[in-house]
């Protein structure tokens, strides 16, 4: 038998094999050839070993990955998969075998290996699970609970809705489903675009997988077999958006160190030993970093542990020894590592380099937060070590464990996050609890059934096995069936767990089973999801604002029926509904005698603006400048001073705690609130308009709103990305960070239109190209299409493809 590899005009791989196992092997091999560097970066990131070749800037992530026990969880999940679903386990092994076959040739054609001195490693069967987990661990945005805790502590409970992500803070994804009654062919259409960090190479791989059992085309995640998120089997197609569910918890743990172990206080009042061991992180060009890993019955301790000041000092020495600190935009080291100083990069550069690098996995948590890491001091030495508080060593105590002091009412407590040492020697830390760590299941048993699906019933059953991230699923088949549901695992637990830090030493905060996944309906033959409140509302806390979803629905209702070729116009709509509150404040300045003529002219110009964030628009540029000025003035107001310097936490978590991005993406709520902690908002808006009018931008929105893809190894050559239309709350969601930078590291990571009438009338595009190797013909050949809002045709007719490789199956 043979494995056949074809390519289309865009270099997209189309694979045929004798059976599902050989096809998985072929997918692994072609992915290793096209994306060798990406695969090895993701494997090392999942294991917490990326600093061994990327240097000190990667230490923060490696520490988090080790402490969150990502690799160990993936191993456990694969072992459980072997017992529960041996067929899928063998299929994953076949993919890994293909990766190992293709890596040497893939690495040989990829310059990053030579630049870093990295040799391709050997993949093990659990590595695809680790890649999946590392890619999605921050999707649920559990660090937002740290922000809520700080906001409540300094501003009170009323701060939570003011800064909630439904107004606006989280970019997610667009997806819409049209039943046959709303199409020109009488068959359904699915379309959308996942919003993620734009990476080079891209986070999605266009691929076609065919064997006697199935023939599927779609967008795969490099390093993971099959096609999980967006696919068309010929008779059924599906797509997903982030459901914005809350399914991870942070527990405040009371810890103490004895002569023999570290103990955690349990809800029954008993001190119990934690699981504890030490690991070493190798850092290219620097001494290794030794870290202690703890795990309580709630989960791995990710920040704050007794005796951590020593680790902070060691990390400071490691960072001091490398120029990478400057490249990351480091500021002063924290008090726990007093000796280190570093230069401060400009905000825009730091947002790209320091913020985006850690927050690239934050997925649906918001592009603002990525740049926020820079504002917060992204490369502080103690956070690079992941110290999370720099607690002083606790004296050994071998006596009978004392009972802790009475705990305050956890439902109303407004104290800060963990990371403190009490007078009696106790220390607070934070433990992370997430479903795969609890269940030993990453949902891989859904992947093969999805490939084999023939109708929406099959897709529905397959997604019953889905674990995380929790998604909203759209599906349609050629028989007229449609599906709109939520898929994943969300634990049942207290309100505190869902919104804030849960006190581990008090009863009532354990998990009590799993929520049933809700279903949604189509309205007049249409379902739209853009991370807004919908069927997943009972499962989440904060959702995206309704602007994108409302705009998509309005555009779809402009005509009764749609064709696949017509739908891309919706992908690129640039109307910015969230501009209304700021424009309302500008309108209220009308007639004020103290406005300068220049400011009055700018106000009038913006009130006449069509509210479209087009790259060629000078009015959009002026609006963005005023918006940024308003954000900066609000962030500098004394009312928010206590939130300007976030508490010490691992660097990976700092993006959720940065004040300026929080102000920026809550601007709609902050401007509309009845009262805002005594802030004179008309005065703020007036000052911002005067500031911008005095030095008005002369260019267009696209002059400053430029694409800045994230790369694990930044290109040494200066990069001036292409101009972008769109903005955070546009359907064309290309997120900048008002108040910090207009550059965008986040946007549509792919676009697709699935046609159930004829699969080859489907369309797709990715931001760059199919090949991950710089300088090759298909590395960035889709970028011009992506920028113009055009899509390439999906080709599945083998006679229209070029056979590039035919490999004998040696068994």
């Amino acid at each position: 038998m043979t494995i056949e590899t074809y390519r289309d005009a865009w270099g997209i791989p189309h694979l045929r094999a004798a059976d599902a196992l050989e096809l998985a092997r072929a997918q692994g091999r072609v992915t290793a050839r096209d994306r060798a560097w990406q695969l090895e970066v993701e494997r090392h990131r999942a294991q917490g070993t990326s600093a061994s070749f990327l240097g000190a800037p990667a230490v923060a992530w490696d520490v988090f990955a080790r402490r969150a026990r990502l690799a160990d969880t993936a191993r456990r999940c694969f072992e459980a998969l072997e017992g529960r679903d041996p067929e899928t386990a063998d299929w994953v092994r076949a993919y890994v075998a293909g990766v190992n076959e293709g890596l040497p040739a893939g690495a040989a054609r990829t310059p990053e290996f030579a630049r870093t001195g990295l040799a391709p490693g050997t993949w093990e069967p659990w590595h695809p699970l680790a890649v999946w987990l590392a890619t999605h661990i921050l999707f649920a945005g559990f660090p937002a609970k740290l922000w809520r805790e700080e906001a409540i502590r300094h501003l009170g409970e009323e701060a939570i809705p003011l800064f909630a992500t439904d107004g606006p803070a989280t970019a997610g994804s667009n997806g819409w489903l049209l039943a046959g009654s709303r199409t020109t062919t009488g068959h359904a259409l699915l379309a959308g675009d996942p919003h993620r960090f734009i990476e080079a190479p891209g986070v999605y791989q266009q691929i076609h997988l065919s064997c006697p059992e199935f023939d599927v085309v779609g967008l795969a995640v490099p390093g993971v077999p099959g096609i999980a998120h967006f696919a068309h089997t010929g008779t059924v197609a599906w797509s997903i958006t982030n459901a914005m569910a809350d399914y991870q918890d942070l527990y405040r743990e009371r810890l103490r160190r004895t002569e023999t172990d570290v103990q955690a206080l349990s809800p029954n009042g008993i001190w119990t030993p934690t699981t504890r061991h030490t690991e070493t992180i190798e850092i290219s060009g620097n001494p290794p970093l030794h870290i202690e890993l703890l795990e309580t019955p709630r989960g791995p301790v990710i920040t704050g542990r007794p005796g951590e000041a020593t680790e902070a000092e060691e990390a400071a020495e490691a960072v001091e020894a490398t120029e990478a600190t400057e490249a990351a935009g480091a500021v002063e080291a924290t008090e726990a590592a007093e000796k280190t100083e570093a230069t401060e990069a400009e905000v825009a550069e730091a947002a790209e380099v320091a913020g985006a690098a850690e927050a690239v996995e934050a997925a649906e948590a918001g592009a603002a937060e990525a740049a926020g890491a820079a504002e917060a001091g992204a490369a502080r030495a103690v956070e690079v070590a992941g110290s999370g508080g720099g607690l002083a060593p606790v004296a050994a105590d071998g006596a009978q464990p004392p009972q802790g002091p009475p705990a305050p009412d956890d439902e109303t407590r407004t104290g800060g996050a963990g990371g403190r040492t009490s007078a009696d020697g106790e220390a607070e830390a934070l433990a992370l609890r997430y479903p795969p760590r609890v269940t030993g299941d990453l949902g891989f048993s859904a992947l093969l059934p999805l490939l084999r699906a023939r109708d929406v019933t099959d897709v529905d059953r397959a997604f019953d096995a889905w674990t995380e991230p929790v998604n909203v699923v759209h599906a349609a088949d050629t028989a007229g069936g449609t599906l709109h549901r939520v898929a994943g695992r969300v634990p049942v637990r207290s309100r505190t767990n869902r919104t804030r830090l849960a006190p581990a030493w008090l009863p009532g905060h354990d998990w009590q089973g799993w929520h049933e996944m809700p279903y949604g309906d189509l309205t007049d033959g249409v379902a739209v999801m853009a991370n807004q409140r919908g069927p997943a509302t009972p499962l989440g806390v904060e959702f995206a604002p309704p602007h994108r979803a409302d705009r998509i629905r309005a555009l779809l209702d402009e005509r009764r029926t749609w064709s696949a070729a017509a739908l891309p116009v919706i992908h690129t709509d640039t109307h910015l509904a969230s501009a209304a509150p700021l424009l309302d404040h500008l309108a209220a300045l009308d007639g004020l005698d103290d406005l300068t003529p220049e400011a009055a002219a700018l106000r009038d110009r913006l009130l006449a603006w069509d509210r479209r964030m087009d790259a060629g628009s000078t009015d959009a540029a002026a609006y963005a400048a005023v918006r940024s000025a308003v954000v900066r003035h609000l962030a500098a107001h004394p009312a928010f001073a206590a939130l300007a310097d976030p508490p010490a936490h691992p660097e990976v978590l700092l993006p959720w705690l940065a004040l300026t991005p929080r102000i920026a993406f809550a601007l709609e709520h902050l401007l509309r609130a009845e009262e805002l902690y005594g802030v004179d908002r008309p005065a703020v808006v007036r000052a911002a308009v005067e500031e911008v009018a005095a030095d008005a931008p002369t260019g267009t929105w696209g002059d400053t709103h430029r694409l800045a893809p994230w790369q694990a190894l930044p290109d040494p050559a200066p990069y001036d990305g292409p101009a972008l239309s769109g903005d955070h709350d546009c359907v064309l969601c290309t997120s900048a960070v008002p108040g910090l930078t207009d550059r965008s590291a986040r946007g549509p990571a792919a676009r697709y239109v699935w046609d159930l009438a004829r699969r080859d009338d489907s369309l797709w595009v990715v931001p760059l190209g199919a090949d991950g190797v710089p300088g090759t013909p298909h590395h960035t050949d889709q970028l011009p299409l992506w920028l113009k809002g055009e899509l390439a045709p999906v080709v599945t007719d083998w006679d229209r493809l070029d056979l590039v490789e035919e490999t004998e199956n040696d068994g």
Side-chain angles (χ1 to χ4, degrees):
M1 304 296 293
T2 60
I3 295 172
E4 297 173 339
T5 302
Y6 294 76
R7 301 275 181 174
D8 62 19
W10 301 97
I12 296 166
H14 298 250
L15 310 176
R16 279 202 301 201
D19 56 41
L21 290 180
E22 283 304 306
L23 189 57
R25 176 184 159 205
Q27 184 183 7
R29 191 176 63 206
V30 79
T31 303
R33 180 198 178 277
D34 292 355
R35 308 288 187 95
W37 171 251
Q38 182 180 25
L39 290 188
E40 284 296 83
V41 167
E42 294 305 321
R43 180 176 69 86
H44 279 282
R45 282 174 59 82
Q47 296 179 102
T49 56
S50 60
S52 64
F53 61 98
L54 294 177
V59 172
W61 172 264
D62 282 358
V63 171
F64 171 75
R66 302 282 188 106
R67 287 188 168 157
R69 309 292 281 139
L70 301 186
D72 184 69
T73 301
R75 288 190 192 95
R76 292 184 184 184
C77 289
F78 185 77
E79 290 172 359
L81 186 69
E82 288 182 297
R84 183 183 63 253
D85 186 358
E87 182 190 24
T88 296
D90 288 342
W91 179 68
V92 174
R93 282 196 192 89
Y95 179 88
V96 167
V99 169
N100 287 327
E101 289 175 8
L103 268 180
R109 63 189 293 269
T110 307
E112 287 91 343
F113 285 90
R115 283 179 60 191
T116 59
L118 178 67
T122 300
W123 278 53
E124 298 181 30
W126 58 271
H127 284 153
L129 285 76
V131 168
W132 184 267
L133 181 58
T135 299
H136 297 108
I137 187 65
L138 294 175
F139 259 50
F142 70 81
K145 295 174 183 180
L146 298 173
W147 166 260
R148 292 189 202 117
E149 206 74 34
E150 290 302 304
I152 291 171
R153 182 157 68 100
H154 295 297
L155 299 176
E157 292 273 359
E158 67 274 13
I160 299 308
L162 284 175
F163 286 95
T165 51
D166 1 24
T170 297
S173 303
N174 299 321
W176 58 95
L177 164 62
L178 294 169
S181 61
R182 298 297 303 272
T183 72
T184 57
T185 65
H187 289 276
L189 292 168
L190 281 77
D193 48 358
H195 303 156
R196 299 176 61 150
F197 279 88
I198 306 300
E199 300 181 31
V203 297
Y204 282 114
Q205 173 195 31
Q206 298 154 298
I207 200 164
H208 179 194
L209 304 175
S210 182
C211 67
E213 282 188 89
F214 51 79
D215 186 288
V216 186
V217 65
L219 299 163
V221 175
V224 178
I227 305 173
H229 288 157
F230 311 94
H232 196 322
T233 74
T235 60
V236 64
W238 67 88
S239 59
I240 59 95
T241 57
N242 191 331
M244 309 299 286
D246 179 83
Y247 51 89
Q248 301 164 332
D249 285 346
L250 282 176
Y251 283 86
R252 293 169 49 227
E253 298 277 359
R254 287 184 177 174
L255 302 179
R256 67 174 193 173
R257 188 179 298 277
T258 72
E259 292 179 349
T260 58
D261 58 18
V262 176
Q263 300 174 340
L265 184 60
S266 297
N268 60 8
I270 302 300
W271 290 93
T272 58
T274 62
T275 301
R276 178 175 63 122
H277 72 281
T278 300
E279 292 185 4
T280 299
I281 296 178
E282 301 295 335
I283 309 171
S284 177
N286 295 277
L289 176 65
H290 307 286
I291 63 172
E292 180 184 56
L293 305 184
L294 302 177
E295 185 163 5
T296 76
R298 272 65 59 187
V301 173
I302 61 169
T303 174
R305 56 195 45 73
E308 204 160 56
T310 301
E311 289 180 13
E313 292 165 1
E314 186 171 355
E317 294 172 2
V319 175
E320 188 178 39
T322 179
E323 294 180 355
T325 304
E326 295 180 1
V331 291
E332 289 188 353
T334 57
E335 294 178 0
E338 300 168 338
K339 298 179 288 185
T340 302
E341 290 187 354
T343 60
E344 180 177 1
E346 64 178 66
V347 170
E349 179 182 359
E352 297 170 43
V353 179
E358 301 90 36
V360 66
E361 303 301 336
E364 309 296 340
E369 293 138 350
E375 184 206 34
R380 294 178 183 178
V382 73
E383 275 86 26
V384 168
S387 74
L391 302 179
V394 179
D397 180 6
Q400 183 68 25
Q403 298 297 316
D409 178 5
D410 61 282
E411 298 292 339
T412 59
R413 184 181 189 279
T414 59
R420 299 180 301 276
T421 302
S422 65
D424 60 3
E426 293 180 20
E428 274 203 18
L430 296 180
L432 173 64
R433 188 170 181 84
Y434 54 100
R437 188 70 181 166
V438 175
T439 65
D441 184 8
L442 263 170
F444 268 46
S445 289
L447 300 183
L448 267 174
L450 282 172
L451 295 178
R452 292 167 172 157
R454 294 292 182 267
D455 54 34
V456 294
T457 299
D458 293 338
V459 172
D460 192 18
R461 289 172 181 158
F463 273 107
D464 283 342
W466 195 264
T467 296
E468 71 168 70
V470 179
N471 292 321
V472 175
V473 179
H474 285 163
D477 60 34
T478 54
T482 59
L483 176 68
H484 183 195
R485 65 162 291 180
V486 183
R489 280 183 179 249
V490 179
V492 177
R493 72 273 204 225
S494 76
R495 180 174 64 87
T496 296
N497 290 54
R498 296 178 61 196
T499 57
R500 300 178 59 181
L501 309 182
W505 59 87
L506 293 181
H509 297 285
D510 53 343
W511 287 8
Q512 301 287 336
W514 305 96
H515 283 279
E516 291 291 328
M517 291 295 101
Y519 286 73
D521 297 316
L522 277 65
T523 302
D524 191 22
V526 176
V528 176
M529 281 305 303
N531 316 107
Q532 82 283 12
R533 294 183 182 274
T537 297
L539 308 177
V541 177
E542 297 180 7
F543 295 81
H547 306 304
R548 286 184 286 117
D550 289 348
R551 181 64 176 169
I552 292 169
R553 181 75 201 213
L555 291 170
L556 289 173
D557 286 343
E558 288 181 357
R559 62 173 75 173
R560 184 61 193 171
T561 59
W562 288 82
S563 66
L567 280 178
V569 69
I570 294 178
H571 287 117
T572 52
D573 186 78
T574 60
H575 185 265
L576 186 66
S578 63
L582 178 52
L583 295 177
D584 289 345
H585 274 275
L586 288 173
L589 299 179
D590 188 25
L592 292 180
D593 295 334
D594 57 347
L595 278 182
T596 63
E598 294 81 7
L602 177 58
R603 175 204 61 208
D604 294 343
R605 174 185 168 193
L606 291 179
L607 293 178
W609 170 51
D610 62 7
R611 305 190 186 190
R612 290 188 175 274
M613 299 297 286
D614 294 327
S617 171
T618 55
D619 290 342
Y623 169 78
V626 171
R627 178 178 61 180
S628 286
V630 170
V631 168
R632 289 192 298 269
H633 281 276
L634 286 176
H637 195 279
F640 304 116
L643 292 167
D645 187 17
H649 281 301
E651 182 186 342
V652 173
L653 308 184
L654 289 182
W656 282 266
L657 293 166
L659 177 61
T660 297
R662 284 286 178 180
I663 295 283
F665 293 111
L667 189 60
E668 188 173 19
H669 279 337
L670 298 176
L671 291 178
R672 279 181 168 161
E674 291 187 11
E675 200 280 328
L676 189 68
Y677 307 105
V679 178
D680 185 346
R681 284 163 292 177
V684 166
V685 173
R686 183 188 302 111
V689 173
E690 292 285 5
E691 175 186 318
V692 174
D695 186 19
T698 57
T700 66
W701 176 226
D703 288 340
T704 57
H705 188 52
R706 292 182 172 272
L707 181 64
W710 179 84
Q711 299 180 56
L713 188 66
D715 195 316
Y719 175 78
D720 187 18
L724 297 177
S725 293
D727 197 44
H728 189 81
D729 286 313
C730 300
V731 177
L732 179 52
C733 185
T734 53
S735 295
V737 189
L740 288 178
T741 177
D742 289 342
R743 292 194 177 192
S744 175
R746 188 184 184 89
R751 297 190 185 105
Y752 61 91
V753 177
W754 298 145
D755 192 338
L756 272 300
R758 182 175 178 273
R759 187 168 63 173
D760 274 21
D761 287 337
S762 299
L763 303 162
W764 57 2
V765 74
V766 294
L768 298 176
D771 199 332
V773 179
T776 56
H778 300 299
H779 183 57
T780 58
D781 59 336
Q782 295 185 53
L783 179 59
L785 293 181
W786 184 84
L787 291 171
K788 291 186 291 184
E790 298 176 359
L791 281 71
V794 171
V795 178
T796 59
D797 183 347
W798 300 99
D799 292 335
R800 297 172 58 197
L801 303 170
D802 295 324
L803 178 64
V804 296
E805 184 179 355
E806 188 171 10
T807 303
E808 290 297 326
N809 179 3
D810 59 10

